Amino acid sequence: MSKRENISTSVIKRLPRYYRFLNGLNRDGVVRISSRELSIRMGLTASQIRQDLNCFGGFGQQGYGYNVEQLFKEIGHILGLQNLHKTILIGAGNMGRALASHIDFEHHGFHVVGVFDKKESMAGQMVHGMPVRLMSGLEDFCRNNHPEIAILCTPDEAAEQLVPVLLKLGVMGYWNFTHYDIVAKHPDTAVQNVHLEDNLMRLSYQVSALKNNDMKRANI
Amino acid sequence: MSKRENISTSVIKRLPRYYRFLNGLNRDGVVRISSRELSIRMGLTASQIRQDLNCFGGFGQQGYGYNVEQLFKEIGHILGLQNLHKTILIGAGNMGRALASHIDFEHHGFHVVGVFDKKESMAGQMVHGMPVRLMSGLEDFCRNNHPEIAILCTPDEAAEQLVPVLLKLGVMGYWNFTHYDIVAKHPDTAVQNVHLEDNLMRLSYQVSALKNNDMKRANI
DNA sequence: TAGATTGTTAATCGATTAACAATC
DNA sequence: TAGATTGTTAATCGATTAACAATC
């Protein structure tokens, strides 16, 4: 399916953005687009776009460019969005519940089949159209339903204890909202970390730097 | 303050992780650490750590290493965490409310001074210890309170309309949970994007790739 | 002093950009 | 056919790693 074996993470990182832009163009009724035109819209170089796409195959046509709808679907397929990976949400606190109602899992390759929390008071409450289950039932649930993905919205210490258990139960993909470093301890997993605080600290750096520059400019 | 003028984004991206690790070491009572020891714990090279830190100054001592507490504080200072940038949260839906209760803004350089939503029914409800205000009062509020940062938890279209208004009111930093591309349209802003769906799609790619590999291995 | 470890320069590696022949 | 634009190779740029003299 894929042309090359190992695609660099730099390329993978850009794929979702291509997907979003092409979705927009497609909805706007744009039929064809050249790498140059797309590069201007996205703020990239045309070279980079052609290099990126050619990691996966020759989707364009000389003298014409790329068919928007076809390319959109191709990238969706490369990203594996046609899948519906069985997914469990662990931790139904503020963040967990917000994700459950905010994210369109089904259009991004996932299907949430269970929600868990350790709090007795949460048990039975409805989240994402299903009742919250207690953590004590997690292992049985996994043995019966074979989820492949876990969304971790627990405290860091809980994640540390959970991951080895989940791995044994066959869960190999993790959307990790904790700061527990899954990949370091368990290399054979698929992990995306969402470190919101790290992101916020980078914003702090940027804003502070921006202010420093303003002050320097004022001095000159 | 900073040794060099332009620090590469690669370095900036790693700073929050250094900060977290050093915080942990400091809490565990570790007094000194060498770049080699830290590199093993963090899964980096010692070279990279020394290069990264030396962008900002010589914090270490030959033959000794780095003082954990001092380095922790230095990095916090570099990140600007001593600041309390006045911040408004726009959009008090699931995600906005989850952030308000989940993130420790005060320890990451920010101070939330106002929460806004366009829904009449939200007005007056308490979020982060303060009543939700209607969007109609946004401009007056900004003229009186001079917030510098906005957390955007609105639909994409709302963000597109809001940013030019906010910019004129002096808001130059954005924690952006929408897909509206602020930097492309307004280069002189400080922006961190949190594209949760993009992150999820990368996980989809990784999991799909992992499965493909397993299948190939089974064939051999 | 001798051993350890930094700060910094040089070498390597990978990613981005430029150029252009192939071709629709 | 002529013009446009890709796919791909070569050149450049930047980031990471290695090496080592400086020095605590």
Side-chain angles (χ1 to χ4, degrees):
Chain A
M1 183 185 294
S2 51
K3 207 175 156 193
R4 290 188 208 166
E5 268 305 284
N6 277 338
I7 313 293
S8 82
T9 58
S10 312
V11 176
I12 305 302
K13 270 192 206 154
R14 285 190 288 270
L15 287 183
R17 190 149 174 269
Y18 288 131
Y19 185 75
R20 280 194 283 116
F21 264 80
L22 289 163
N23 190 20
L25 290 169
N26 193 35
R27 270 193 310 225
D28 292 349
V30 179
V31 174
R32 65 162 281 276
I33 196 157
S34 68
S35 58
R36 195 182 123 73
E37 216 177 311
L38 188 59
S39 76
I40 292 164
R41 290 191 194 234
M42 294 189 67
L44 304 170
T45 64
S47 264
Q48 183 163 64
I49 291 174
R50 293 204 298 279
Q51 288 273 28
D52 283 353
L53 298 179
N54 265 78
C55 293
F56 304 100
F59 302 133
Q61 201 168 36
Q62 278 99 331
Y64 174 83
Y66 300 86
N67 178 286
V68 171
E69 189 179 4
Q70 185 212 326
L71 188 57
F72 169 63
K73 286 180 178 169
E74 288 280 7
I75 294 180
H77 200 77
I78 291 162
L79 285 167
L81 306 188
Q82 75 284 1
N83 296 314
L84 278 179
H85 298 291
K86 280 193 187 177
T87 302
I88 52 175
L89 169 61
I90 305 186
N94 294 301
M95 192 49 67
R97 291 200 308 274
L99 292 176
S101 55
H102 186 264
I103 301 284
D104 183 353
F105 289 100
E106 276 69 18
H107 278 96
H108 295 92
F110 300 88
H111 179 50
V112 180
V113 295
V115 180
F116 292 84
D117 201 282
K118 72 157 197 231
K119 252 195 191 164
E120 301 266 346
S121 63
M122 284 297 302
Q125 282 192 40
M126 296 301 278
V127 169
H128 202 257
M130 61 193 85
V132 176
R133 294 158 202 274
L134 280 174
M135 290 299 282
S136 50
L138 180 62
E139 298 201 26
D140 269 354
F141 182 91
C142 290
R143 270 189 281 269
N144 292 327
N145 294 279
H146 307 289
E148 301 168 304
I149 318 284
I151 305 167
L152 298 181
C153 290
T154 68
D156 296 358
E157 313 80 49
E160 190 174 349
Q161 296 186 312
L162 270 168
V163 173
V165 178
L166 289 168
L167 257 176
K168 272 184 207 148
L169 291 160
V171 178
M172 36 54 132
Y174 296 88
W175 204 20
N176 183 24
F177 286 76
T178 79
H179 287 123
Y180 172 61
D181 195 340
I182 300 174
V183 190
K185 308 268 178 170
H186 310 281
D188 281 342
T189 51
V191 179
Q192 283 290 322
N193 295 303
V194 182
H195 292 332
L196 291 173
E197 291 88 351
D198 287 14
N199 202 276
L200 195 56
M201 287 192 261
R202 287 189 277 267
L203 181 60
S204 173
Y205 176 88
Q206 283 185 311
V207 175
S208 308
L210 210 64
K211 279 187 153 183
N212 272 342
N213 283 345
D214 285 355
M215 280 164 61
K216 272 180 204 159
R217 225 175 283 158
N219 275 346
I220 296 166
Chain B
M1 183 185 295
S2 53
K3 205 174 157 193
R4 290 190 208 163
E5 268 305 284
N6 277 339
I7 313 293
S8 82
T9 57
S10 312
V11 175
I12 305 301
K13 269 192 206 155
R14 285 190 289 270
L15 288 183
R17 191 149 175 269
Y18 288 131
Y19 186 75
R20 280 194 284 117
F21 264 80
L22 288 163
N23 190 20
L25 290 169
N26 193 35
R27 270 194 311 226
D28 291 351
V30 179
V31 175
R32 65 162 281 274
I33 196 159
S34 67
S35 57
R36 194 181 124 72
E37 215 178 311
L38 189 59
S39 76
I40 292 164
R41 290 189 194 236
M42 294 188 67
L44 305 171
T45 65
S47 264
Q48 183 162 64
I49 291 174
R50 292 204 299 276
Q51 288 274 25
D52 283 353
L53 298 179
N54 265 77
C55 294
F56 304 100
F59 303 132
Q61 200 169 37
Q62 279 100 331
Y64 174 83
Y66 299 86
N67 179 286
V68 170
E69 189 179 2
Q70 185 211 324
L71 187 56
F72 169 63
K73 285 180 178 168
E74 288 281 6
I75 293 180
H77 200 76
I78 292 161
L79 286 167
L81 306 188
Q82 75 284 2
N83 297 313
L84 277 180
H85 298 291
K86 280 193 188 178
T87 303
I88 51 175
L89 169 61
I90 307 186
N94 294 301
M95 192 50 66
R97 291 201 307 275
L99 291 176
S101 56
H102 186 263
I103 302 286
D104 183 352
F105 288 101
E106 277 68 17
H107 279 95
H108 294 92
F110 300 89
H111 180 49
V112 179
V113 295
V115 181
F116 292 85
D117 201 281
K118 72 156 199 234
K119 252 196 189 164
E120 301 264 346
S121 63
M122 284 296 303
Q125 281 192 42
M126 296 302 277
V127 169
H128 202 255
M130 60 192 83
V132 175
R133 296 157 200 275
L134 280 175
M135 291 299 284
S136 49
L138 180 63
E139 297 201 28
D140 269 354
F141 182 92
C142 289
R143 270 188 281 269
N144 292 328
N145 295 278
H146 307 289
E148 301 168 304
I149 318 285
I151 306 167
L152 298 181
C153 290
T154 67
D156 297 358
E157 314 79 52
E160 189 174 350
Q161 296 187 313
L162 271 167
V163 173
V165 178
L166 289 168
L167 256 175
K168 271 184 207 148
L169 291 160
V171 178
M172 35 56 134
Y174 296 88
W175 204 20
N176 182 24
F177 286 76
T178 79
H179 287 123
Y180 171 62
D181 195 340
I182 300 174
V183 190
K185 308 268 177 169
H186 310 280
D188 281 341
T189 50
V191 178
Q192 283 289 322
N193 295 302
V194 182
H195 291 332
L196 290 173
E197 291 88 353
D198 287 15
N199 202 277
L200 195 56
M201 287 192 262
R202 286 189 278 267
L203 181 60
S204 174
Y205 176 87
Q206 284 186 309
V207 175
S208 308
L210 209 63
K211 279 186 154 185
N212 272 342
N213 283 347
D214 286 354
M215 280 164 62
K216 273 179 201 159
R217 227 175 281 159
N219 276 347
I220 296 166

